[in-house]
Amino acid sequence: MNKKFLLVMAVLAVIVGAFYAYLGGFSSAQVSEVSSEQLYMAGRSFKGSVNDNAINDAFRRAAEVLDKKELEGMLGNIYYNNPEGRADSVDAFIGVVIPDSSVQLPADYELRVVPGGRRALRGEVNAHYMLSPNKLYEAIFNYAEEKSLELETFYVEWFPEDHQGIVEVPVKE
């Protein structure tokens, strides 16, 4: 019985490890200093507890907008406070990065423009969008600490593909 249990556990561990690898769990983020990109983001504001169902609704709505082809683009978020350091509250804009400002927005969406041309740290990783933010923020914060850079509390995430994530954070001048 113990041998069967160990064999089953070993097989399960291999399956879980393979799935984690497939999602990009073993990928590492690359950080570089860049001039930030100007981005157009359509979405919804959210300010409140991370446990509020409204934040999940905003994420689901963004996915629905893309699935139903209400907008062409990619998932994206703006955070006005540190999304990794949030204890209970977040100030965010959740939606879709769109090609330009002339696009017809869904009735429940508004447009925000992320200014370009600022000195920023950009983290990129080839990992599923559910795993990539943790990897990206840790890499960016470690890079900033190593280089003695102070970052603004303005974080922009976007996910060009299911297995790619990008975060830009402006450097305080």
Side-chain angles (χ1 to χ4, degrees):
M1 177 98 158
N2 283 340
K3 287 183 182 181
K4 284 183 182 180
F5 177 75
L6 289 175
L7 179 61
V8 169
M9 292 307 291
V11 169
L12 284 174
V14 168
I15 291 170
V16 168
F19 186 66
Y20 186 70
Y22 168 75
L23 293 177
F26 298 113
S27 298
S28 59
Q30 304 301 313
V31 177
S32 56
E33 294 185 43
V34 299
S35 178
S36 66
E37 289 187 37
Q38 177 171 306
L39 297 173
Y40 299 98
M41 195 169 305
R44 293 177 169 174
S45 293
F46 175 82
K47 191 179 254 188
S49 170
V50 294
N51 298 319
D52 187 334
N53 285 334
I55 193 168
N56 294 328
D57 293 343
F59 284 118
R60 275 193 290 278
R61 176 66 177 131
E64 178 182 277
V65 163
L66 289 174
D67 289 343
K68 290 183 175 180
K69 306 241 184 266
E70 294 178 58
L71 290 173
E72 293 294 323
M74 63 193 102
L75 294 174
N77 309 303
I78 302 169
Y79 293 97
Y80 299 97
N81 62 340
N82 183 345
E84 291 298 299
R86 60 186 182 229
D88 182 41
S89 109
V90 64
D91 184 2
F93 187 77
I94 299 163
V96 177
V97 176
I98 57 176
D100 60 60
S101 62
S102 67
V103 174
Q104 179 68 34
L105 301 179
D108 59 338
Y109 265 34
E110 64 180 274
L111 179 68
R112 300 255 172 111
V113 179
V114 177
R118 299 183 295 176
R119 182 177 173 216
L121 296 185
R122 177 186 287 177
E124 298 185 48
V125 68
N126 291 321
H128 191 271
Y129 64 83
M130 296 300 284
L131 297 177
S132 60
N134 290 337
K135 293 177 171 294
L136 290 166
Y137 286 100
E138 180 181 1
I140 286 171
F141 295 148
N142 287 343
Y143 184 95
E145 186 176 330
E146 288 172 15
K147 302 287 185 178
S148 299
L149 298 172
E150 191 174 352
L151 301 175
E152 292 185 19
T153 53
F154 183 81
Y155 309 86
V156 181
E157 307 175 338
W158 67 98
F159 305 94
E161 300 173 18
D162 280 348
H163 283 83
Q164 183 183 19
I166 300 171
V167 171
E168 280 189 358
V169 183
V171 176
K172 282 187 181 177
E173 297 295 333

